[in-house]
Every structure is written in structure tokens, then in C-alpha cells.
Amino acid sequence: MSFIPDFGVLAAFTLAVAILTITPGPDMTFFMSKTLQQGRKAGAVSVMGAASGIVIHSLFAALGISALIAASATAFAFLKYAGAAYLVYLAFQAVRSGSALTLDKGKGKNEKLLKIWSQGLTINLLNPKIVLFFVTFLPQFVSAHDPHAAQKLLFLGFYFNLLGVPSCMAMVFGAGAFARFLRSSPKAMKAFDWLFAGIMGTFALKLLAAQASRG
């Protein structure tokens, strides 16, 4: 099967994805906050929304759009400013209304699953660690002169989800003990909101600092 990279490339890619998956970021924080706020179903939907974002990034990579974005200062600037603005918005919402974490039933605003899915999708479309991975890192695993480059990039993108989704789901379904601790401590809940805001703000700054490829 010509679309599957050789074993060495696949092993290196698996390691890279494993490291990326366990690296804290706005996606992981979002999964946890939705799980703790609205339950496992909402958390699982947020994961699937993020996975849908990975599919779109994979298609962009296969079609060469990611390479064009990396090479275009204007396109890359638009992407990073839009991403940073969205992350800052999420941070502001968490601090203003405590939306990052509301554990008691009947308190806070429960969002519809479609909205949670779309938020997960948007977060991963604009997630700094995902954007930089697909725009600058993923192409390194496939030679530009490979006649099957597009198929291999698409395969690696879907393989990314195959590796990442189960670990994210495990985190979602294992969040119960953490939730019980937070219910017993209003201060801890408030700290989580500020932590959520801090992570979003930090990744917004990281995204703004990212540089487009100069070829």
C-alpha cells in the first residue's frame, strides 16, 4: 500500500504524536472543562469536535494548503491572529463567568452538544500546537518528491486521530475523581478557572510568536 509510510517514518511519527498528545494545550483543557461541567457525554463530544479539526488539517496538508500557509506571511499572520483572538476570548469567558468549570447541576449554562462539538472543532483548527504541527512539522515526514506524498500526508493525519482520540477519551472518562475533589473546594474550582484562562492566554502568546516558514 503506497499511501503507508515505511516503518521507520511511522515509528518516529507515532512518538511525535504521543508527545504532542500528552502536552498540555487548549484542547486538553477544553476536554476537561466540558467533562467536569456537563459530564462524560459532553467531554466525548468535545473530543470528537477536536478530532474533526484534525481531519480538516489533514486535508489541508494533503492538498498543499498547509504548505501555502506556511510560506505566506499574510496567510500565516491571519491564522495566528485569529487563533490568538479566539483563545483570549475563551480565557476572558472563563474568568468573567467561571464557564471553564461549573460542577453543580443546575448551576452554570449547559451548552448544546452541537455547540460543544463546534467549539472543539474551532479550538483544534486554531490550536497553536496543532497548527504548528501540521503546517511545519508534518511535512518533514514525507518527501516533497514522493509521488504518493498527498496520500501519505492524509494517512498520517488520520493516523494522528487513531492515536490521539483513545487517550483523550481515557482522560474524559477518568475525570470523575478530579471532579469530586473540586466539588469539595470552591477555591479549587476558582483556581481551575484561572488556570484555564492562563493556559489559553499562554498559548495565544505562543501562537503570536510563531513565525511563518521562509521556505
Side-chain angles (χ1 to χ4, degrees):
M1 291 179 282
S2 57
F3 62 88
I4 300 180
D6 61 44
F7 178 78
V9 171
L10 208 54
F13 184 79
T14 299
L15 178 61
V17 172
I19 294 172
L20 188 71
T21 300
I22 63 174
T23 301
D27 52 349
M28 185 182 295
T29 308
F30 183 70
F31 304 154
M32 286 295 292
S33 70
K34 287 304 168 189
T35 302
L36 298 173
Q37 180 186 356
Q38 290 185 229
R40 290 175 175 176
K41 187 175 181 179
V45 169
S46 70
V47 171
M48 296 315 297
S52 300
I54 296 297
V55 172
I56 294 176
H57 276 298
S58 303
L59 291 172
F60 282 178
L63 294 172
I65 297 174
S66 295
L68 292 176
I69 291 174
S72 169
T74 301
F76 194 82
F78 174 80
L79 181 65
K80 73 178 186 178
Y81 287 130
Y86 187 67
L87 294 176
V88 169
Y89 166 77
L90 291 176
F92 175 74
Q93 286 293 101
V95 173
R96 187 188 71 168
S97 60
S99 58
L101 185 60
T102 303
L103 297 175
D104 294 329
K105 290 184 177 181
K107 295 184 179 180
K109 181 181 178 181
N110 280 356
E111 295 175 322
K112 293 183 178 180
L113 295 180
L114 180 60
K115 182 176 181 180
I116 293 173
W117 177 86
S118 66
Q119 288 176 331
L121 170 68
T122 304
I123 280 181
N124 250 10
L125 285 178
L126 302 175
N127 182 349
K129 72 176 186 178
I130 300 298
V131 169
L132 295 176
F133 183 86
F134 276 86
V135 170
T136 65
F137 195 59
L138 178 63
Q140 298 178 33
F141 289 94
V142 179
S143 170
H145 304 292
D146 188 331
H148 305 291
Q151 296 96 313
K152 287 182 177 179
L153 286 169
L154 192 60
F155 172 83
L156 289 174
F158 281 90
Y159 182 59
F160 185 107
N161 265 342
L162 182 65
L163 295 172
V165 169
S167 61
C168 291
M169 286 295 187
M171 179 179 64
V172 163
F173 283 90
F178 186 46
R180 285 191 294 272
F181 163 72
L182 289 172
R183 281 195 187 96
S184 67
S185 175
K187 289 184 179 180
M189 291 175 63
K190 188 64 177 177
F192 187 92
D193 282 331
W194 279 98
L195 177 62
F196 180 95
I199 291 174
M200 294 298 174
T202 298
F203 277 91
L205 292 175
K206 182 177 180 179
L207 184 54
L208 288 174
Q211 297 296 317
S213 171
R214 298 304 178 185

